[in-house]
């Protein structure tokens, strides 16, 4: 099994009120780069930021890394259009960040990204892939793609109160800019991403199709953004079994309608519950208040932990270790931040 994190950026995230993926909007471009480093090394190494929301909720990468430290699974970081460099090793499939979805072609190279990612997915030797994303503003572009495809127009949010009114307004403007009506891209997944999406969606859909064509089992690790990627795969005519693994925080979000969306797209839905209410730590308390909910493969990682028999208590303990490490609050024996010159790139995961 290999965990694949597809990372990238879209200028849609710059729209005020769209995303909570970063305490400082000026540093948001570094969020996917830092997420990749945390998943790969356990903390940021080159990125100048620890991704947190304006209220201090840490990136879901903390949860995914905690599960990786318990299970030791292999990873692959895919650069589908990062806006800032990352210290994590990457395979590049995109030529650059996506534009504002309100532009006529926010992902002009969607077809090229899809094709490169498809070739990558077909070439990987693993029997199973768990495919995740990190792209601030991605639920809005997911809403755009679902609308263009004529699918259920429902998405979640990293904010406690989902700004669906704002997202629908943005998508309406985007449809108008691209001279589209809802459903005009039915059966044309590349066109839907090119005119209404982001490069990460193009890469996830391409990689998933390539892997499925090669007979590899694929789990889409995430919420409504990964469901939108699943919609792209289905509109490409692929009917192979496809799983969607997300968290109960998304499942409990009525605005996401993730169960109905999964049913629409014939995606086998797995909902994971990390039982955060049983603990008491800043790394998990914000999730109980409705922030973040999902991202960086959190739901898929937790599903892997459950499958491996790792208890929620053990995962919560490791989440605390990773959180303390990346925020500089680690105590003796916890994390790898005791020596500032200790470069995690020189150590085994």
């Amino acid at each position: 099994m290999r965990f694949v994190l597809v990372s990238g950026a879209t200028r849609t995230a710059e729209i005020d009120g769209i995303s909570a993926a970063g305490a400082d909007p000026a540093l948001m471009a570094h969020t996917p780069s830092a997420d990749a480093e945390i998943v790969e090394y356990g903390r940021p190494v080159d990125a100048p930021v620890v991704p947190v929301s304006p209220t201090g909720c840490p990136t879901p990468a903390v949860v995914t890394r905690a599960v990786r430290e318990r299970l030791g699974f292999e990873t692959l970081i895919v650069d589908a259009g990062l806006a800032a460099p990352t210290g994590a090793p990457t395979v590049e499939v995109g030529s650059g960040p996506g534009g504002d979805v309100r532009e006529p072609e926010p992902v002009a190279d969607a077809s090229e990204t899809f094709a490169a990612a498809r070739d990558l997915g077909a070439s990987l030797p693993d029997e199973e892939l768990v495919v995740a994303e990190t792209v601030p503003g991605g639920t809005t572009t997911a809403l755009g793609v679902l609308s263009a495809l004529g699918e259920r127009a429902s998405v979640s949010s990293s904010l406690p109160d989902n700004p669906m009114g704002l997202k629908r307004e943005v998508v309406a403007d985007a449809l108008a800019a691209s001279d589209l009506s809802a459903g005009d891209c039915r059966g044309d997944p590349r066109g839907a991403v090119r005119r209404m999406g982001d490069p990460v969606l193009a890469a996830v859909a391409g990689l998933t199709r390539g892997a499925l064509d090669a007979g590899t089992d694929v789990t889409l690790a995430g919420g409504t953004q990964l469901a939108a990627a699943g919609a792209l795969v289905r509109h490409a005519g692929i009917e192979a079994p496809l799983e969607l693994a997300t968290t109960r925080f998304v499942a409990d979000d009525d605005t996401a309608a993730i169960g109905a969306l999964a049913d629409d797209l014939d995606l086998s839905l797995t909902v994971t519950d990390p039982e955060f209410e049983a603990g008491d730590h800043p790394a998990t308390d914000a999730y109980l208040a409705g922030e973040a909910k999902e991202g960086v493969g959190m739901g898929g990682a937790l599903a892997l932990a459950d499958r491996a028999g790792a208890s929620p208590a053990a995962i919560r303990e490791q989440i605390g270790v990773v959180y303390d490490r990346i925020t500089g609050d680690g105590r003796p024996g916890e994390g790898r931040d005791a020596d500032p010159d200790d470069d995690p790139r020189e150590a085994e995961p």
Side-chain angles (χ1 to χ4, degrees):
M1 190 284 297
R2 186 180 302 272
F3 181 95
V4 183
L5 177 62
V6 183
S7 52
T10 166
R11 291 195 63 189
T12 306
E14 298 172 9
I15 300 172
D16 188 41
I18 285 291
S19 177
D24 183 346
L27 294 175
M28 192 183 299
H30 295 277
T31 294
S33 304
D35 282 341
E37 293 173 4
I38 291 168
V39 170
E40 190 67 20
Y41 298 121
R43 70 183 194 204
V45 291
D46 288 341
V49 62
V50 174
V52 295
S53 75
T55 63
C57 179
T59 169
V62 169
V63 178
T64 297
R65 174 65 194 194
V67 175
R68 186 183 181 212
E69 291 184 4
R70 287 285 177 170
L71 303 187
F73 51 74
E74 295 293 324
T75 59
L76 174 66
I77 310 298
V78 176
D79 180 352
L82 287 169
T86 181
T90 64
V91 175
E92 185 175 316
V93 298
S95 63
D100 189 316
V101 72
R102 296 170 297 184
E103 299 170 1
E105 287 192 341
V107 193
D109 63 344
S111 291
E112 293 81 0
T113 298
F114 182 96
R118 181 190 60 201
D119 291 345
L120 175 63
S123 71
L124 294 174
D126 311 278
E127 295 183 358
E128 177 185 4
L129 297 180
V130 175
V131 184
E133 58 71 32
T134 171
V135 53
T139 57
T140 301
T141 47
L143 182 64
V145 163
L146 289 167
S147 298
L149 294 173
E151 296 293 349
R152 185 183 301 268
S154 59
V155 292
S156 188
S157 173
S158 56
L159 297 162
D161 296 315
N162 192 352
M164 281 300 295
L166 173 60
K167 292 179 182 181
R168 290 193 177 104
E169 179 182 335
V170 168
V171 168
D173 290 344
L175 288 168
S178 294
D179 194 25
L180 291 174
S181 296
D184 277 358
C185 290
R186 186 180 301 276
D188 180 16
R190 298 189 194 197
V193 175
R194 177 170 55 84
R195 301 168 76 177
M196 294 294 293
D198 64 62
V200 168
L201 281 173
V204 171
L207 190 145
T208 299
R209 175 171 182 177
L212 290 174
D213 285 345
T216 304
D217 292 334
V218 177
T219 295
L220 297 172
T224 48
Q225 288 171 249
L226 273 295
L232 292 166
V233 172
R234 294 305 190 212
H235 279 258
I238 305 303
E239 299 179 355
L242 188 55
E243 182 178 357
L244 178 68
T246 194
T247 67
R248 75 169 175 88
F249 305 114
V250 173
D252 291 345
D253 179 1
D254 292 338
T255 63
I258 192 67
L261 189 55
D263 285 344
D264 292 346
L265 300 168
D266 192 25
L267 305 177
S268 176
L269 181 64
T270 296
V271 177
T272 59
D273 183 1
E275 301 179 13
F276 283 168
E277 65 276 2
D280 182 17
H281 194 283
T284 56
D285 289 349
Y287 286 85
L288 296 174
E291 288 198 58
K293 302 183 184 70
E294 177 60 277
V296 201
M298 176 178 165
L302 290 169
L304 290 173
D306 184 64
R307 191 169 76 186
S311 71
I315 298 302
R316 288 195 305 272
E317 178 183 8
Q318 198 66 31
I319 290 169
V321 170
V322 177
Y323 175 88
D324 289 346
R325 179 192 309 144
I326 70 169
T327 60
D329 294 333
R331 293 171 287 277
E334 294 188 350
R336 291 178 44 82
D337 57 352
D339 183 350
D341 294 324
D342 185 14
D343 190 335
R345 284 172 286 197
E346 299 174 358
E348 294 296 323

